[in-house]
Amino acid sequence: MGVTRDDEKEPHSVEQRNGTPSLWMLYLSAVYVGVFGFLILLLGDAKTPSWSRLLALGDARQVLGLGTILGLLAVAMQIGIAVFLPEGLWADDGTNAFFTRLSYAHIVLLMALTALGEELFFRAAIQSLLLRWIPSVAVGLAVAAAVFAVAHVRYVTRPVLLAGAWGIGLLLGWGYWFTGSIWTAVWAHFLVNVTMTVLGKRGWFLPGWRSSTGERRRLRQPGP
């Protein structure tokens, strides 16, 4: 028997199963990281970027173009991990599958808040501080990416997932450093999160996806 996707086994929405407060906890957890980032920036000294400079869009074509490229690179990396490595090395604790059970509207809004909050904290605040303290830009970006990876606590015992998060953090950090616009990293982060969640919602690149896909192909084949 093939593996059935979670949203097929449980057609009710997350709100219906777990109650609205659980859904709002997801939103709150996406926001509080950004709040901490704002606090770090507020408590920073005169070398901290001004708010107008921090939130400026910059060159929109560069931000969207480079952000899209970085986001797609991160998506390709995650797909490559799911395709070429044994599932036991990259299967998480079920959190990613949980997100796929949200409605598309909640996915877009939640991932937008997550991208904005995490980029304010990890790139605008933490990375900026590290680049002031560490003379080498490459080392500073690598350390900031490591902080980002370790902050995903559920990945700490999964070396492949931890390395993947570090790679994504490095791409996002470089995009922010290169363009000088936090929106480059926000857009790339949003793009990779939404893309992978929607693919998971369609039954791709989650634990059990190979057997599930094979079962769907078998069912589509004409009988003898």
Short mmCIF file of all heavy atoms in Angstrom, two decimals, residues 21-75:
data_model
loop_
_atom_site.label_atom_id
_atom_site.label_comp_id
_atom_site.label_asym_id
_atom_site.label_seq_id
_atom_site.Cartn_x
_atom_site.Cartn_y
_atom_site.Cartn_z
N PRO A 21 -6.48 28.93 18.29
CA PRO A 21 -5.28 29.38 19.02
C PRO A 21 -3.99 28.73 18.53
O PRO A 21 -2.95 29.35 18.51
CB PRO A 21 -5.60 28.99 20.47
CG PRO A 21 -7.09 29.02 20.54
CD PRO A 21 -7.53 28.50 19.20
N SER A 22 -4.05 27.46 18.12
CA SER A 22 -2.85 26.79 17.62
C SER A 22 -2.35 27.45 16.35
O SER A 22 -1.15 27.62 16.15
CB SER A 22 -3.13 25.31 17.36
OG SER A 22 -3.44 24.64 18.56
N LEU A 23 -3.28 27.82 15.48
CA LEU A 23 -2.88 28.49 14.25
C LEU A 23 -2.29 29.85 14.55
O LEU A 23 -1.27 30.24 13.98
CB LEU A 23 -4.09 28.63 13.32
CG LEU A 23 -3.81 29.34 11.99
CD1 LEU A 23 -2.79 28.56 11.17
CD2 LEU A 23 -5.10 29.49 11.20
N TRP A 24 -2.91 30.56 15.48
CA TRP A 24 -2.38 31.88 15.81
C TRP A 24 -1.03 31.78 16.51
O TRP A 24 -0.22 32.70 16.42
CB TRP A 24 -3.38 32.66 16.65
CG TRP A 24 -4.54 33.11 15.84
CD1 TRP A 24 -5.83 32.68 15.92
CD2 TRP A 24 -4.51 34.06 14.75
NE1 TRP A 24 -6.60 33.29 14.96
CE2 TRP A 24 -5.82 34.14 14.23
CE3 TRP A 24 -3.50 34.82 14.16
CZ2 TRP A 24 -6.15 34.97 13.16
CZ3 TRP A 24 -3.84 35.65 13.10
CH2 TRP A 24 -5.14 35.71 12.61
N MET A 25 -0.77 30.68 17.19
CA MET A 25 0.55 30.49 17.76
C MET A 25 1.62 30.41 16.67
O MET A 25 2.75 30.86 16.86
CB MET A 25 0.58 29.22 18.63
CG MET A 25 -0.09 29.37 19.98
SD MET A 25 0.68 30.67 20.99
CE MET A 25 2.32 29.98 21.22
N LEU A 26 1.24 29.84 15.53
CA LEU A 26 2.18 29.81 14.40
C LEU A 26 2.50 31.23 13.95
O LEU A 26 3.66 31.56 13.68
CB LEU A 26 1.57 29.02 13.24
CG LEU A 26 1.40 27.52 13.42
CD1 LEU A 26 0.69 26.93 12.21
CD2 LEU A 26 2.74 26.84 13.63
N TYR A 27 1.48 32.06 13.88
CA TYR A 27 1.71 33.45 13.47
C TYR A 27 2.55 34.20 14.51
O TYR A 27 3.46 34.96 14.16
CB TYR A 27 0.38 34.16 13.25
CG TYR A 27 -0.28 33.80 11.95
CD1 TYR A 27 -1.37 32.93 11.91
CD2 TYR A 27 0.17 34.33 10.75
CE1 TYR A 27 -1.98 32.59 10.71
CE2 TYR A 27 -0.42 33.99 9.55
CZ TYR A 27 -1.50 33.13 9.54
OH TYR A 27 -2.10 32.79 8.35
N LEU A 28 2.25 33.98 15.77
CA LEU A 28 3.01 34.66 16.82
C LEU A 28 4.47 34.22 16.81
O LEU A 28 5.38 35.05 16.97
CB LEU A 28 2.39 34.36 18.19
CG LEU A 28 1.05 35.04 18.47
CD1 LEU A 28 0.49 34.57 19.82
CD2 LEU A 28 1.19 36.55 18.45
N SER A 29 4.71 32.93 16.59
CA SER A 29 6.09 32.46 16.56
C SER A 29 6.84 33.02 15.36
O SER A 29 8.06 33.19 15.40
CB SER A 29 6.12 30.93 16.54
OG SER A 29 5.56 30.43 15.34
N ALA A 30 6.10 33.31 14.27
CA ALA A 30 6.74 33.90 13.09
C ALA A 30 7.07 35.37 13.32
O ALA A 30 8.02 35.90 12.73
CB ALA A 30 5.82 33.76 11.88
N VAL A 31 6.31 36.02 14.20
CA VAL A 31 6.49 37.46 14.43
C VAL A 31 7.53 37.75 15.50
O VAL A 31 8.31 38.70 15.38
CB VAL A 31 5.14 38.11 14.81
CG1 VAL A 31 5.34 39.54 15.30
CG2 VAL A 31 4.19 38.09 13.63
N TYR A 32 7.59 36.91 16.54
CA TYR A 32 8.42 37.29 17.69
C TYR A 32 9.91 37.34 17.33
O TYR A 32 10.66 38.11 17.92
CB TYR A 32 8.18 36.35 18.88
CG TYR A 32 8.92 35.05 18.85
CD1 TYR A 32 10.21 34.94 19.37
CD2 TYR A 32 8.33 33.89 18.34
CE1 TYR A 32 10.89 33.74 19.36
CE2 TYR A 32 9.01 32.69 18.32
CZ TYR A 32 10.29 32.62 18.83
OH TYR A 32 10.95 31.43 18.81
N VAL A 33 10.34 36.52 16.36
CA VAL A 33 11.74 36.57 15.95
C VAL A 33 12.06 37.94 15.36
O VAL A 33 13.10 38.54 15.65
CB VAL A 33 12.05 35.46 14.93
CG1 VAL A 33 13.48 35.58 14.43
CG2 VAL A 33 11.82 34.10 15.55
N GLY A 34 11.15 38.47 14.54
CA GLY A 34 11.34 39.80 13.99
C GLY A 34 11.34 40.87 15.06
O GLY A 34 12.10 41.85 14.98
N VAL A 35 10.51 40.69 16.08
CA VAL A 35 10.48 41.65 17.18
C VAL A 35 11.83 41.68 17.89
O VAL A 35 12.36 42.75 18.22
CB VAL A 35 9.35 41.30 18.17
CG1 VAL A 35 9.44 42.17 19.42
CG2 VAL A 35 7.99 41.47 17.50
N PHE A 36 12.42 40.51 18.13
CA PHE A 36 13.75 40.46 18.74
C PHE A 36 14.77 41.16 17.86
O PHE A 36 15.67 41.84 18.36
CB PHE A 36 14.17 39.01 18.99
CG PHE A 36 13.49 38.36 20.16
CD1 PHE A 36 13.10 37.03 20.10
CD2 PHE A 36 13.23 39.07 21.32
CE1 PHE A 36 12.47 36.43 21.17
CE2 PHE A 36 12.60 38.48 22.39
CZ PHE A 36 12.22 37.15 22.32
N GLY A 37 14.65 40.98 16.56
CA GLY A 37 15.56 41.67 15.65
C GLY A 37 15.43 43.17 15.76
O GLY A 37 16.43 43.90 15.80
N PHE A 38 14.19 43.67 15.83
CA PHE A 38 13.96 45.10 16.00
C PHE A 38 14.57 45.59 17.31
O PHE A 38 15.17 46.66 17.36
CB PHE A 38 12.46 45.40 15.99
CG PHE A 38 11.91 45.68 14.62
CD1 PHE A 38 10.98 44.83 14.05
CD2 PHE A 38 12.32 46.79 13.90
CE1 PHE A 38 10.46 45.08 12.79
CE2 PHE A 38 11.81 47.06 12.64
CZ PHE A 38 10.88 46.20 12.08
N LEU A 39 14.42 44.80 18.37
CA LEU A 39 14.97 45.21 19.66
C LEU A 39 16.49 45.31 19.61
O LEU A 39 17.09 46.24 20.16
CB LEU A 39 14.55 44.22 20.75
CG LEU A 39 13.06 44.24 21.13
CD1 LEU A 39 12.76 43.14 22.14
CD2 LEU A 39 12.66 45.60 21.69
N ILE A 40 17.12 44.35 18.95
CA ILE A 40 18.58 44.40 18.81
C ILE A 40 18.99 45.65 18.04
O ILE A 40 19.95 46.35 18.41
CB ILE A 40 19.10 43.14 18.11
CG1 ILE A 40 18.91 41.92 19.01
CG2 ILE A 40 20.58 43.29 17.74
CD1 ILE A 40 19.26 40.60 18.35
N LEU A 41 18.25 45.96 16.98
CA LEU A 41 18.57 47.15 16.20
C LEU A 41 18.33 48.42 17.00
O LEU A 41 19.09 49.38 16.91
CB LEU A 41 17.74 47.16 14.92
CG LEU A 41 18.09 46.07 13.90
CD1 LEU A 41 17.04 46.00 12.80
CD2 LEU A 41 19.46 46.31 13.30
N LEU A 42 17.26 48.44 17.78
CA LEU A 42 16.97 49.62 18.60
C LEU A 42 18.03 49.86 19.66
O LEU A 42 18.36 51.00 19.99
CB LEU A 42 15.60 49.46 19.27
CG LEU A 42 14.37 49.65 18.38
CD1 LEU A 42 13.11 49.27 19.14
CD2 LEU A 42 14.27 51.09 17.89
N LEU A 43 18.58 48.76 20.20
CA LEU A 43 19.59 48.88 21.24
C LEU A 43 21.00 49.04 20.69
O LEU A 43 21.94 49.22 21.45
CB LEU A 43 19.54 47.64 22.15
CG LEU A 43 18.23 47.45 22.94
CD1 LEU A 43 18.25 46.13 23.69
CD2 LEU A 43 18.00 48.61 23.90
N GLY A 44 21.12 48.95 19.36
CA GLY A 44 22.44 49.07 18.74
C GLY A 44 22.97 50.49 18.83
O GLY A 44 22.26 51.44 19.13
N ASP A 45 24.27 50.62 18.53
CA ASP A 45 24.87 51.95 18.60
C ASP A 45 24.71 52.66 17.27
O ASP A 45 23.96 52.23 16.39
CB ASP A 45 26.34 51.85 19.01
CG ASP A 45 27.17 51.01 18.03
OD1 ASP A 45 26.77 50.88 16.85
OD2 ASP A 45 28.21 50.50 18.46
N ALA A 46 25.46 53.74 17.10
CA ALA A 46 25.29 54.58 15.91
C ALA A 46 25.67 53.86 14.62
O ALA A 46 25.30 54.30 13.53
CB ALA A 46 26.14 55.85 16.06
N LYS A 47 26.42 52.76 14.73
CA LYS A 47 26.83 52.04 13.53
C LYS A 47 25.72 51.16 12.97
O LYS A 47 25.85 50.62 11.87
CB LYS A 47 28.06 51.18 13.83
CG LYS A 47 29.31 52.01 14.16
CD LYS A 47 30.50 51.10 14.39
CE LYS A 47 31.75 51.92 14.72
NZ LYS A 47 32.93 51.06 14.97
N THR A 48 24.66 50.96 13.75
CA THR A 48 23.55 50.17 13.25
C THR A 48 22.87 50.92 12.10
O THR A 48 22.65 52.12 12.20
CB THR A 48 22.52 49.92 14.37
OG1 THR A 48 23.17 49.26 15.45
CG2 THR A 48 21.37 49.06 13.87
N PRO A 49 22.52 50.24 11.01
CA PRO A 49 21.88 50.93 9.88
C PRO A 49 20.62 51.68 10.30
O PRO A 49 19.86 51.21 11.14
CB PRO A 49 21.55 49.78 8.92
CG PRO A 49 22.50 48.69 9.29
CD PRO A 49 22.71 48.82 10.76
N SER A 50 20.42 52.85 9.72
CA SER A 50 19.21 53.62 10.02
C SER A 50 17.99 52.87 9.50
O SER A 50 18.08 52.04 8.60
CB SER A 50 19.30 55.00 9.38
OG SER A 50 19.28 54.89 7.97
N TRP A 51 16.82 53.20 10.08
CA TRP A 51 15.60 52.52 9.67
C TRP A 51 15.30 52.77 8.20
O TRP A 51 14.87 51.86 7.48
CB TRP A 51 14.44 52.98 10.54
CG TRP A 51 14.59 52.57 11.97
CD1 TRP A 51 14.85 53.38 13.03
CD2 TRP A 51 14.52 51.25 12.50
NE1 TRP A 51 14.95 52.65 14.18
CE2 TRP A 51 14.74 51.34 13.89
CE3 TRP A 51 14.29 50.00 11.94
CZ2 TRP A 51 14.74 50.23 14.72
CZ3 TRP A 51 14.29 48.88 12.77
CH2 TRP A 51 14.51 49.00 14.14
N SER A 52 15.49 54.00 7.75
CA SER A 52 15.20 54.30 6.34
C SER A 52 16.11 53.51 5.41
O SER A 52 15.69 53.01 4.37
CB SER A 52 15.35 55.80 6.09
OG SER A 52 16.66 56.24 6.39
N ARG A 53 17.38 53.39 5.80
CA ARG A 53 18.31 52.62 4.98
C ARG A 53 18.01 51.12 5.07
O ARG A 53 18.07 50.40 4.07
CB ARG A 53 19.74 52.89 5.44
CG ARG A 53 20.79 52.10 4.66
CD ARG A 53 22.17 52.35 5.23
NE ARG A 53 23.16 51.50 4.58
CZ ARG A 53 24.41 51.38 5.00
NH1 ARG A 53 24.82 52.08 6.06
NH2 ARG A 53 25.25 50.59 4.38
N LEU A 54 17.66 50.66 6.26
CA LEU A 54 17.39 49.24 6.45
C LEU A 54 16.19 48.78 5.63
O LEU A 54 16.22 47.72 5.01
CB LEU A 54 17.14 48.96 7.94
CG LEU A 54 16.70 47.53 8.29
CD1 LEU A 54 17.82 46.54 7.99
CD2 LEU A 54 16.28 47.44 9.74
N LEU A 55 15.12 49.59 5.63
CA LEU A 55 13.88 49.18 4.99
C LEU A 55 13.76 49.66 3.55
O LEU A 55 12.75 49.40 2.90
CB LEU A 55 12.69 49.69 5.81
CG LEU A 55 12.61 49.15 7.24
CD1 LEU A 55 11.43 49.77 7.97
CD2 LEU A 55 12.52 47.63 7.26
N ALA A 56 14.78 50.35 3.05
CA ALA A 56 14.74 50.82 1.66
C ALA A 56 14.77 49.64 0.71
O ALA A 56 15.51 48.67 0.92
CB ALA A 56 15.91 51.75 1.40
N LEU A 57 13.99 49.72 -0.35
CA LEU A 57 13.93 48.63 -1.33
C LEU A 57 15.21 48.54 -2.15
O LEU A 57 15.69 47.45 -2.46
CB LEU A 57 12.72 48.82 -2.25
CG LEU A 57 12.56 47.77 -3.37
CD1 LEU A 57 12.38 46.38 -2.76
CD2 LEU A 57 11.38 48.13 -4.26
N GLY A 58 15.78 49.69 -2.48
CA GLY A 58 16.96 49.68 -3.34
C GLY A 58 16.56 49.47 -4.80
O GLY A 58 15.47 49.84 -5.22
N ASP A 59 17.44 48.86 -5.56
CA ASP A 59 17.17 48.56 -6.96
C ASP A 59 16.21 47.38 -7.03
O ASP A 59 16.59 46.24 -6.79
CB ASP A 59 18.48 48.23 -7.68
CG ASP A 59 18.29 48.05 -9.18
OD1 ASP A 59 17.16 47.77 -9.62
OD2 ASP A 59 19.29 48.20 -9.92
N ALA A 60 14.95 47.67 -7.38
CA ALA A 60 13.91 46.63 -7.35
C ALA A 60 14.25 45.48 -8.30
O ALA A 60 14.03 44.30 -7.97
CB ALA A 60 12.56 47.23 -7.71
N ARG A 61 14.79 45.80 -9.47
CA ARG A 61 15.12 44.73 -10.42
C ARG A 61 16.22 43.83 -9.88
O ARG A 61 16.18 42.61 -10.03
CB ARG A 61 15.54 45.34 -11.76
CG ARG A 61 14.39 45.98 -12.53
CD ARG A 61 14.89 46.62 -13.81
NE ARG A 61 15.84 47.69 -13.54
CZ ARG A 61 16.44 48.42 -14.48
NH1 ARG A 61 16.19 48.17 -15.76
NH2 ARG A 61 17.28 49.38 -14.16
N GLN A 62 17.20 44.44 -9.22
CA GLN A 62 18.28 43.64 -8.64
C GLN A 62 17.78 42.81 -7.47
O GLN A 62 18.10 41.63 -7.35
CB GLN A 62 19.42 44.55 -8.19
CG GLN A 62 20.63 43.78 -7.66
CD GLN A 62 21.70 44.70 -7.12
OE1 GLN A 62 21.45 45.54 -6.26
NE2 GLN A 62 22.93 44.56 -7.62
N VAL A 63 16.96 43.44 -6.63
CA VAL A 63 16.43 42.74 -5.46
C VAL A 63 15.59 41.54 -5.88
O VAL A 63 15.78 40.41 -5.40
CB VAL A 63 15.61 43.70 -4.58
CG1 VAL A 63 14.80 42.93 -3.54
CG2 VAL A 63 16.53 44.71 -3.90
N LEU A 64 14.64 41.77 -6.79
CA LEU A 64 13.76 40.68 -7.22
C LEU A 64 14.51 39.66 -8.07
O LEU A 64 14.30 38.45 -7.92
CB LEU A 64 12.57 41.25 -8.00
CG LEU A 64 11.57 42.07 -7.18
CD1 LEU A 64 10.51 42.66 -8.09
CD2 LEU A 64 10.92 41.22 -6.10
N GLY A 65 15.39 40.14 -8.94
CA GLY A 65 16.12 39.22 -9.80
C GLY A 65 17.07 38.33 -9.03
O GLY A 65 17.02 37.10 -9.14
N LEU A 66 17.93 38.94 -8.22
CA LEU A 66 18.88 38.16 -7.44
C LEU A 66 18.16 37.34 -6.38
O LEU A 66 18.53 36.18 -6.12
CB LEU A 66 19.93 39.07 -6.80
CG LEU A 66 21.05 38.36 -6.03
CD1 LEU A 66 21.82 37.41 -6.96
CD2 LEU A 66 22.00 39.37 -5.40
N GLY A 67 17.14 37.93 -5.76
CA GLY A 67 16.38 37.19 -4.76
C GLY A 67 15.73 35.94 -5.35
O GLY A 67 15.71 34.88 -4.71
N THR A 68 15.21 36.06 -6.57
CA THR A 68 14.60 34.91 -7.23
C THR A 68 15.64 33.84 -7.52
O THR A 68 15.41 32.64 -7.30
CB THR A 68 13.92 35.35 -8.53
OG1 THR A 68 12.88 36.29 -8.23
CG2 THR A 68 13.32 34.15 -9.26
N ILE A 69 16.80 34.25 -8.01
CA ILE A 69 17.87 33.29 -8.30
C ILE A 69 18.31 32.56 -7.03
O ILE A 69 18.45 31.33 -7.02
CB ILE A 69 19.07 34.00 -8.95
CG1 ILE A 69 18.70 34.50 -10.35
CG2 ILE A 69 20.29 33.07 -9.03
CD1 ILE A 69 19.75 35.37 -11.00
N LEU A 70 18.51 33.31 -5.95
CA LEU A 70 18.93 32.69 -4.70
C LEU A 70 17.86 31.76 -4.15
O LEU A 70 18.16 30.67 -3.64
CB LEU A 70 19.27 33.77 -3.67
CG LEU A 70 20.46 34.67 -4.00
CD1 LEU A 70 20.61 35.78 -2.96
CD2 LEU A 70 21.74 33.86 -4.10
N GLY A 71 16.60 32.18 -4.26
CA GLY A 71 15.51 31.33 -3.80
C GLY A 71 15.43 30.04 -4.58
O GLY A 71 15.26 28.95 -4.01
N LEU A 72 15.59 30.13 -5.90
CA LEU A 72 15.54 28.93 -6.73
C LEU A 72 16.74 28.02 -6.48
O LEU A 72 16.61 26.78 -6.54
CB LEU A 72 15.47 29.32 -8.21
CG LEU A 72 14.16 30.01 -8.64
CD1 LEU A 72 14.23 30.41 -10.11
CD2 LEU A 72 12.95 29.12 -8.38
N LEU A 73 17.89 28.60 -6.20
CA LEU A 73 19.06 27.78 -5.85
C LEU A 73 18.79 27.00 -4.56
O LEU A 73 19.14 25.82 -4.45
CB LEU A 73 20.30 28.66 -5.69
CG LEU A 73 20.96 29.17 -6.96
CD1 LEU A 73 22.08 30.15 -6.62
CD2 LEU A 73 21.51 28.01 -7.79
N ALA A 74 18.18 27.68 -3.59
CA ALA A 74 17.86 27.00 -2.33
C ALA A 74 16.82 25.90 -2.55
O ALA A 74 16.92 24.82 -1.96
CB ALA A 74 17.34 28.02 -1.31
N VAL A 75 15.84 26.16 -3.40
CA VAL A 75 14.84 25.14 -3.73
C VAL A 75 15.51 23.95 -4.40
O VAL A 75 15.24 22.78 -4.06
CB VAL A 75 13.74 25.73 -4.64
CG1 VAL A 75 12.88 24.62 -5.24
CG2 VAL A 75 12.87 26.70 -3.87
#
